Amino acid sequence: MPPRRRQSGDAETRSTAPARVWRLRNLLPFRGRGKAADPATPWGESHVPDSHPGDWDSDGLRAAQMIWGHALLGPCSPDELAALAAWLKPRRSTRIALLGAGLGGFALALSRICRCRVTGFEQADMLLRLCPDLKHGHLRSLDSITVKTERSFDHVVVDGLGHRAGDIAPLLKPAAALVSPRGSIVIRAYHAVSAAARARPSHAVWRQSEPVHPHIPTRDELLRQIDRMGFAVRNERAVADVHVSGIEARWTSAVELIPLLHGKKNHQTLIPALITEAGRWQARAELIRAGEIGVLELHCRRATELPDHTDG
């Protein structure tokens, strides 16, 4: 009697299907992320009205790293890191989450100065796919937050001074979900000095030059967002001078790179991207110096917590 042909519904055939699905998901870990909402992890950028993940391309990301450094998309000065560490007061067992982590470079730098683990969370699929150190596991998708992850971090840093360009509204709700009951949230943000300043043509031109097309809140709007999270500001500091110094310190390097790239055929396509990257950061600095945009760091705790006396 000839052997029976295996039918498509046989148990063995069905048992191999999950393995094939698993392999496909590992080969394309972020494809389609954000196209459909997962009720268990409603933190992705696709679930925030009027949110824009960013118009990124590989040349632009390479140019940014040539200016700022490996896996960085913005300033990362020792002064900024030291000031953050002073507020967080970390120990080796402290767990810190960084939201708006970009390619993960700022999270790595913060982990070195804090001497503890810092886990970065990012929304943009393009940045997650091109993260140069993704295999080390320090960068995750914002959609990876689950019930097990909630309230599991001692501190959460919301970084709006890098590639987010001040557009931090999509990050506030997940920040409140991640931080432990007695933990703190540090918000690094731009703010429009007034609604009138935000309506000026110079602001609109800069906004369109940024990949994320950011919506910058006023200070009062930002404080109301924090209040709606159930948090209160314990310490506040203006860091415009330090931030602009960090931008301008790298501006010279960007200018010097351009003639070097002209002599390398394989890198000449990076010149327009390099000029664009440096130009939009210079535009940020000019808006800050003109008094149209302010730069704040806010140290927040749950409103039910007693006020602390941390030196700002």
Side-chain angles (χ1 to χ4, degrees):
M1 182 177 180
R4 181 176 65 89
R5 289 186 178 180
R6 185 177 290 116
Q7 301 297 318
S8 58
D10 284 0
E12 185 179 344
T13 304
R14 288 196 301 270
S15 67
T16 60
R20 286 197 299 270
V21 173
W22 183 91
R23 283 195 294 271
L24 285 172
R25 286 175 178 171
N26 278 268
L27 287 171
L28 303 170
F30 299 106
R31 180 169 292 180
R33 180 84 73 177
K35 292 181 180 177
D38 182 351
T41 58
W43 308 118
E45 191 151 356
S46 59
H47 312 303
V48 180
D50 301 321
S51 174
H52 188 271
D55 295 325
W56 305 101
D57 61 76
S58 57
D59 280 350
L61 294 176
R62 289 173 64 194
Q65 292 179 84
M66 292 175 73
I67 296 174
W68 306 112
H70 177 73
L72 288 169
L73 296 178
C76 184
S77 70
D79 291 342
E80 291 177 288
L81 294 170
L84 274 178
W87 265 355
L88 300 175
K89 292 182 170 57
R91 299 185 297 271
R92 286 193 177 274
S93 59
T94 300
R95 297 191 66 202
I96 300 173
L98 176 68
L99 274 62
L103 294 176
F106 196 90
L108 282 176
L110 186 61
S111 71
R112 293 189 185 107
I113 199 167
C114 290
R115 298 176 181 269
C116 65
R117 181 173 179 81
V118 178
T119 303
F121 289 87
E122 179 51 49
Q123 308 85 1
D125 291 350
M126 181 72 168
L127 301 184
L128 288 164
R129 286 197 299 268
L130 296 181
C131 170
D133 301 311
L134 189 62
K135 63 182 180 181
H136 297 306
H138 69 272
L139 183 66
R140 303 178 187 175
S141 167
L142 201 64
D143 284 343
S144 69
I145 299 175
T146 64
V147 174
K148 293 181 179 179
T149 319
E150 291 180 4
R151 300 198 170 199
S152 62
F153 289 91
D154 301 297
H155 305 288
V156 176
V157 178
V158 177
D159 187 14
L161 302 185
H163 72 288
R164 295 294 315 176
D167 195 24
I168 61 169
L171 307 180
L172 295 179
K173 189 175 180 181
L178 285 170
V179 71
S180 64
R182 297 185 64 83
S184 67
I185 296 176
V186 174
I187 298 173
R188 310 175 71 232
Y190 298 121
H191 68 93
V193 296
S194 66
R198 189 168 53 194
R200 290 173 185 162
S202 56
H203 188 97
V205 171
W206 164 71
R207 181 177 177 272
Q208 289 303 314
S209 73
E210 292 283 349
V212 179
H213 311 321
H215 296 273
I216 305 293
T218 64
R219 180 181 177 277
D220 289 344
E221 289 168 348
L222 179 58
L223 295 180
R224 284 197 294 271
Q225 290 174 345
I226 294 170
D227 182 67
R228 286 196 294 268
M229 291 161 50
F231 282 73
V233 176
R234 298 307 189 215
N235 292 292
E236 175 179 344
R237 61 188 173 212
V239 294
D241 291 342
V242 174
H243 187 61
V244 170
S245 296
I247 295 171
E248 293 181 338
R250 304 303 300 176
W251 170 257
T252 303
S253 301
V255 173
E256 292 174 347
L257 279 170
I258 293 174
L260 295 176
L261 293 177
H262 270 295
K264 299 182 179 180
K265 292 183 179 180
N266 294 337
H267 294 81
Q268 287 182 2
T269 58
L270 291 176
I271 294 175
L274 191 65
I275 294 172
T276 298
E277 176 72 12
R280 65 187 180 83
W281 277 94
Q282 191 69 2
R284 285 197 207 187
E286 289 173 359
L287 289 174
I288 294 169
R289 282 195 296 263
E292 295 186 27
I293 290 178
V295 190
L296 285 177
E297 288 186 343
L298 305 172
H299 191 198
C300 311
R301 292 189 182 275
R302 297 185 190 277
T304 54
E305 288 283 310
L306 292 174
D308 62 10
H309 300 284
T310 306
D311 293 332

